[in-house]
Amino acid sequence: MIEIQQWIKDRLGLEGARIAQMCRNTPDVLTSKIQTLGEKVDWLQKELRLHDEELSKLISARPEIVVNLNMERKVKPKIKYLRQTFQLNNVTLREMLLRMPSLLTYSEKTMEKKLNFYVKLVGERDAKKLVIERPYLIANYSVEERLEPRLEEVRKSGEKVKWDETLINRLAVRSDALWEKYGLGD
């Protein structure tokens, strides 16, 4: 156990509290093989062209990416999906994943379903632009349990809505209490 913590410190440049948090969030890291972790970390760094600090940020935020996921079967297809679907260059892909590392843990099907929801509101080009700028929109919110019911409320109100970034953000992100109180309004 001490050996893996030392490896995390040396390879990722993390210190005590961040290592402890990482181990609490993903306890499997403590029983992982250093060689396997090293290979995954190296692959991810090379694939995304991450600087050491960026790599540390990404992995400390979502250690399960290198601890529990198979790079070839799980991570690589997600990276390919994001690159192709959003037509991302390496810099934009890296920035998007640093803002929302959990994208590498979601299925392509889940992300596609959420993207399609936004496409219906603003069209494909604007939906993709919006998700690139706010990747949490395809990560955090359920279409069936949050987005569609709220959209249905808006439609039933009879209010004509010209969807834009602000209103989509309110639709998706507002807490239930704020949604109940304000809906799409201020």
Side-chain angles (χ1 to χ4, degrees), residues 139-184:
N140 293 342
Y141 308 105
S142 166
V143 172
E144 295 84 6
E145 295 176 21
R146 185 180 192 112
L147 300 173
E148 285 179 349
R150 287 181 174 189
L151 180 59
E152 188 58 29
E153 276 183 50
V154 172
R155 287 184 175 145
K156 283 182 180 178
S157 75
E159 193 176 331
K160 297 284 184 199
V161 175
K162 174 144 175 47
W163 292 101
D164 62 15
E165 290 179 31
T166 301
L167 294 180
I168 287 175
N169 210 49
R170 288 178 185 168
L171 178 79
V173 179
R174 278 213 165 144
S175 69
D176 290 337
L178 287 176
W179 180 257
E180 290 295 321
K181 187 171 182 176
Y182 299 109
L184 287 176

XYZ file of all heavy atoms in Angstrom, residues 139-184:
386
model
N -22.916 15.084 -19.357
C -22.413 14.182 -18.325
C -23.397 14.021 -17.172
O -23.689 12.909 -16.759
C -21.072 14.691 -17.793
N -23.907 15.098 -16.667
C -24.549 15.051 -15.359
C -26.059 14.859 -15.317
O -26.576 14.462 -14.298
C -24.228 16.329 -14.584
C -22.766 16.430 -14.225
O -22.046 15.450 -14.236
N -22.319 17.616 -13.907
N -26.775 15.160 -16.356
C -28.228 15.268 -16.222
C -28.962 14.238 -17.053
O -28.715 14.089 -18.234
C -28.667 16.685 -16.574
C -27.872 17.697 -15.791
C -26.861 18.432 -16.386
C -28.084 17.852 -14.428
C -26.106 19.332 -15.652
C -27.329 18.736 -13.691
C -26.345 19.477 -14.301
O -25.588 20.344 -13.565
N -29.893 13.550 -16.426
C -30.662 12.498 -17.081
C -31.696 13.110 -18.027
O -32.451 14.005 -17.641
C -31.381 11.659 -16.020
O -32.360 10.844 -16.608
N -31.745 12.584 -19.235
C -32.747 13.038 -20.202
C -34.135 12.674 -19.698
O -35.035 13.522 -19.662
C -32.487 12.432 -21.601
C -33.633 12.740 -22.558
C -31.169 12.950 -22.171
N -34.322 11.429 -19.285
C -35.653 10.956 -18.880
C -36.127 11.546 -17.556
O -37.304 11.845 -17.403
C -35.663 9.422 -18.753
C -35.437 8.677 -20.036
C -33.960 8.524 -20.396
O -33.082 8.889 -19.590
O -33.676 8.043 -21.494
N -35.220 11.693 -16.608
C -35.637 12.100 -15.265
C -35.564 13.602 -15.013
O -36.185 14.089 -14.072
C -34.795 11.363 -14.224
C -35.042 9.868 -14.242
C -34.139 9.107 -13.294
O -33.594 9.715 -12.348
O -33.978 7.892 -13.495
N -34.811 14.329 -15.821
C -34.660 15.756 -15.563
C -34.988 16.619 -16.772
O -35.813 17.523 -16.699
C -33.245 16.053 -15.086
C -33.028 17.508 -14.681
C -31.593 17.726 -14.216
N -31.432 18.992 -13.578
C -31.172 19.169 -12.290
N -31.049 18.147 -11.491
N -31.007 20.383 -11.805
N -34.315 16.373 -17.865
C -34.422 17.275 -19.006
C -35.790 17.220 -19.689
O -36.425 18.260 -19.895
C -33.300 16.991 -20.010
C -31.883 17.155 -19.457
C -30.851 16.691 -20.475
C -31.612 18.590 -19.027
N -36.256 16.035 -20.046
C -37.549 15.930 -20.734
C -38.719 16.388 -19.868
O -39.593 17.108 -20.364
C -37.757 14.509 -21.265
C -36.916 14.243 -22.498
C -37.057 12.829 -23.054
O -37.655 11.950 -22.382
O -36.557 12.605 -24.169
N -38.777 16.009 -18.572
C -39.888 16.515 -17.749
C -39.893 18.049 -17.644
O -40.960 18.674 -17.703
C -39.653 15.873 -16.380
C -38.881 14.638 -16.677
C -38.004 14.994 -17.844
N -38.732 18.641 -17.529
C -38.678 20.100 -17.449
C -39.076 20.738 -18.777
O -39.783 21.742 -18.807
C -37.282 20.563 -17.030
C -37.005 20.293 -15.565
C -35.650 20.772 -15.154
N -35.458 20.625 -13.714
C -34.443 21.113 -13.051
N -33.484 21.770 -13.688
N -34.351 20.944 -11.747
N -38.631 20.156 -19.870
C -39.002 20.662 -21.190
C -40.510 20.557 -21.377
O -41.148 21.476 -21.900
C -38.263 19.898 -22.289
C -38.562 20.327 -23.722
C -38.216 21.803 -23.942
C -37.804 19.450 -24.709
N -41.093 19.462 -20.933
C -42.545 19.283 -21.039
C -43.289 20.352 -20.231
O -44.307 20.881 -20.684
C -42.932 17.874 -20.565
C -44.375 17.519 -20.808
C -44.800 17.602 -22.264
O -43.961 17.393 -23.182
O -45.988 17.887 -22.516
N -42.777 20.685 -19.050
C -43.374 21.768 -18.249
C -43.372 23.081 -19.025
O -44.350 23.818 -19.020
C -42.584 21.985 -16.953
C -42.938 21.083 -15.835
C -42.141 21.435 -14.579
O -42.113 22.621 -14.180
O -41.541 20.510 -14.011
N -42.253 23.370 -19.643
C -42.128 24.610 -20.417
C -43.134 24.596 -21.566
O -43.830 25.584 -21.811
C -40.680 24.801 -20.944
C -40.600 25.970 -21.907
C -39.723 25.000 -19.780
N -43.240 23.480 -22.256
C -44.182 23.376 -23.388
C -45.615 23.529 -22.924
O -46.418 24.204 -23.561
C -43.988 22.053 -24.112
C -42.722 22.026 -24.925
C -42.585 20.743 -25.711
N -41.411 20.798 -26.568
C -40.646 19.769 -26.839
N -40.928 18.573 -26.344
N -39.590 19.916 -27.613
N -45.966 22.893 -21.802
C -47.337 22.975 -21.277
C -47.698 24.385 -20.838
O -48.866 24.759 -20.866
C -47.514 22.004 -20.111
C -47.685 20.572 -20.541
C -47.902 19.666 -19.346
C -48.066 18.230 -19.791
N -48.229 17.329 -18.634
N -46.702 25.159 -20.441
C -46.967 26.532 -19.998
C -47.427 27.408 -21.162
O -47.987 28.478 -20.946
C -45.721 27.144 -19.357
O -44.770 27.495 -20.354
N -47.174 26.941 -22.383
C -47.557 27.715 -23.556
C -46.589 28.836 -23.889
O -46.770 29.563 -24.863
N -45.562 28.954 -23.080
C -44.554 30.000 -23.281
C -43.720 29.672 -24.523
O -43.245 28.562 -24.695
C -43.654 30.043 -22.047
C -42.773 31.237 -21.950
C -41.993 31.241 -20.634
O -42.482 30.695 -19.622
O -40.890 31.803 -20.646
N -43.585 30.652 -25.401
C -42.725 30.490 -26.577
C -41.293 30.743 -26.136
O -41.000 31.776 -25.537
C -43.107 31.467 -27.686
C -44.484 31.262 -28.230
C -44.522 30.081 -29.143
C -45.905 29.945 -29.754
N -46.162 28.658 -30.286
N -40.417 29.795 -26.437
C -39.045 29.912 -25.969
C -38.092 29.846 -27.157
O -38.177 28.951 -27.983
C -38.702 28.769 -24.979
C -37.237 28.816 -24.572
C -39.607 28.825 -23.763
N -37.208 30.822 -27.232
C -36.103 30.771 -28.184
C -34.912 30.272 -27.381
O -34.329 30.996 -26.585
C -35.816 32.152 -28.775
C -34.570 32.144 -29.652
C -34.707 33.038 -30.828
C -33.464 33.151 -31.659
N -32.784 31.948 -32.015
N -34.564 29.007 -27.572
C -33.529 28.371 -26.767
C -32.168 28.968 -27.069
O -31.799 29.149 -28.217
C -33.518 26.864 -27.008
C -34.750 26.228 -26.463
C -35.845 25.846 -27.173
C -35.040 25.967 -25.097
N -36.797 25.344 -26.321
C -36.330 25.396 -25.043
C -34.340 26.144 -23.903
C -36.929 25.007 -23.846
C -34.933 25.753 -22.719
C -36.212 25.200 -22.696
N -31.443 29.277 -26.012
C -30.070 29.757 -26.122
C -29.263 29.138 -24.985
O -29.787 28.350 -24.199
C -30.011 31.293 -26.101
C -30.528 31.890 -24.790
O -30.682 31.160 -23.785
O -30.765 33.102 -24.753
N -27.991 29.514 -24.902
C -27.108 28.929 -23.885
C -27.654 29.116 -22.479
O -27.639 28.193 -21.670
C -25.718 29.564 -23.969
C -24.941 29.190 -25.194
C -23.579 29.867 -25.245
O -22.992 30.129 -24.176
O -23.111 30.126 -26.360
N -28.130 30.317 -22.185
C -28.606 30.624 -20.836
C -29.810 29.774 -20.473
O -29.862 29.177 -19.386
C -28.964 32.120 -20.721
O -27.808 32.884 -21.035
C -29.461 32.473 -19.334
N -30.778 29.677 -21.376
C -31.990 28.926 -21.060
C -31.728 27.420 -20.988
O -32.290 26.733 -20.137
C -33.082 29.241 -22.083
C -33.585 30.693 -22.055
C -34.662 30.907 -23.110
C -34.095 31.085 -20.678
N -30.872 26.922 -21.853
C -30.522 25.497 -21.780
C -29.794 25.207 -20.476
O -30.050 24.204 -19.815
C -29.678 25.070 -23.004
C -30.587 25.013 -24.237
C -28.984 23.730 -22.761
C -29.889 24.723 -25.527
N -28.914 26.097 -20.081
C -28.203 25.920 -18.815
C -29.193 25.901 -17.648
O -29.080 25.076 -16.749
C -27.163 27.021 -18.648
C -25.985 26.564 -17.836
O -25.424 25.516 -18.088
N -25.612 27.355 -16.854
N -30.166 26.805 -17.672
C -31.178 26.817 -16.609
C -31.996 25.536 -16.614
O -32.293 24.968 -15.560
C -32.109 28.014 -16.777
C -31.467 29.322 -16.446
C -32.414 30.473 -16.674
N -31.730 31.748 -16.447
C -32.235 32.915 -16.780
N -33.433 32.987 -17.352
N -31.561 34.017 -16.549
N -32.377 25.080 -17.789
C -33.156 23.852 -17.908
C -32.411 22.677 -17.284
O -32.982 21.877 -16.556
C -33.454 23.569 -19.388
C -34.231 22.293 -19.694
C -35.715 22.511 -19.434
C -34.014 21.867 -21.137
N -31.121 22.587 -17.560
C -30.334 21.434 -17.123
C -29.821 21.561 -15.694
O -29.884 20.605 -14.924
C -29.150 21.228 -18.077
N -29.310 22.723 -15.337
C -28.495 22.857 -14.132
C -29.264 23.291 -12.894
O -28.895 22.929 -11.777
C -27.317 23.834 -14.401
C -26.465 24.027 -13.175
C -26.478 23.326 -15.555
N -30.318 24.047 -13.064
C -31.020 24.557 -11.883
C -31.422 23.446 -10.935
O -31.914 22.397 -11.348
C -32.286 25.300 -12.315
C -31.998 26.698 -12.747
C -33.117 27.631 -12.415
N -32.617 28.987 -12.532
C -33.353 29.981 -12.980
N -34.598 29.789 -13.332
N -32.828 31.186 -13.045
N -31.222 23.715 -9.655
C -31.651 22.755 -8.635
C -33.166 22.619 -8.706
O -33.862 23.492 -9.249
C -31.242 23.239 -7.245
O -32.002 24.388 -6.907
N -33.681 21.550 -8.150
C -35.127 21.346 -8.167
C -35.857 22.502 -7.487
O -36.899 22.951 -7.957
C -35.493 20.022 -7.497
C -35.061 18.821 -8.328
O -34.894 18.979 -9.563
O -34.887 17.729 -7.758
N -35.310 23.000 -6.371
C -35.950 24.106 -5.649
C -36.002 25.367 -6.508
O -37.038 26.039 -6.583
C -35.208 24.387 -4.347
N -34.897 25.701 -7.157
C -34.881 26.882 -8.022
C -35.762 26.670 -9.251
O -36.401 27.613 -9.736
C -33.468 27.237 -8.445
C -32.577 27.864 -7.364
C -31.177 28.086 -7.884
C -33.179 29.170 -6.868
N -35.800 25.463 -9.771
C -36.662 25.181 -10.917
C -38.119 25.391 -10.527
O -38.890 26.003 -11.260
C -36.432 23.770 -11.448
C -37.310 23.490 -12.619
C -38.449 22.753 -12.633
C -37.140 23.978 -13.955
N -39.002 22.749 -13.888
C -38.209 23.484 -14.722
C -36.185 24.779 -14.575
C -38.366 23.774 -16.076
C -36.326 25.054 -15.935
C -37.399 24.562 -16.657
N -38.512 24.870 -9.364
C -39.881 25.039 -8.881
C -40.226 26.509 -8.719
O -41.333 26.943 -9.029
C -40.080 24.312 -7.540
C -40.069 22.799 -7.644
C -41.247 22.255 -8.450
O -42.373 22.768 -8.327
O -41.013 21.309 -9.237
N -39.292 27.284 -8.215
C -39.549 28.694 -7.923
C -39.529 29.543 -9.192
O -40.370 30.414 -9.369
C -38.480 29.209 -6.945
C -38.743 30.603 -6.435
C -37.772 30.951 -5.330
C -38.074 32.335 -4.784
N -37.214 32.674 -3.652
N -38.547 29.348 -10.076
C -38.357 30.240 -11.203
C -38.582 29.618 -12.577
O -38.751 30.351 -13.551
C -36.932 30.801 -11.204
C -36.583 31.604 -9.987
C -35.694 31.115 -9.037
C -37.150 32.849 -9.777
C -35.371 31.843 -7.902
C -36.834 33.602 -8.650
C -35.946 33.088 -7.718
O -35.632 33.821 -6.613
N -38.511 28.302 -12.700
C -38.570 27.694 -14.029
C -37.399 28.213 -14.856
O -36.269 28.194 -14.412
N -37.687 28.703 -16.042
C -36.638 29.251 -16.908
C -36.309 30.709 -16.578
O -35.292 31.227 -16.999
C -37.055 29.183 -18.376
C -37.045 27.825 -19.035
C -37.570 27.930 -20.460
C -35.657 27.206 -19.031
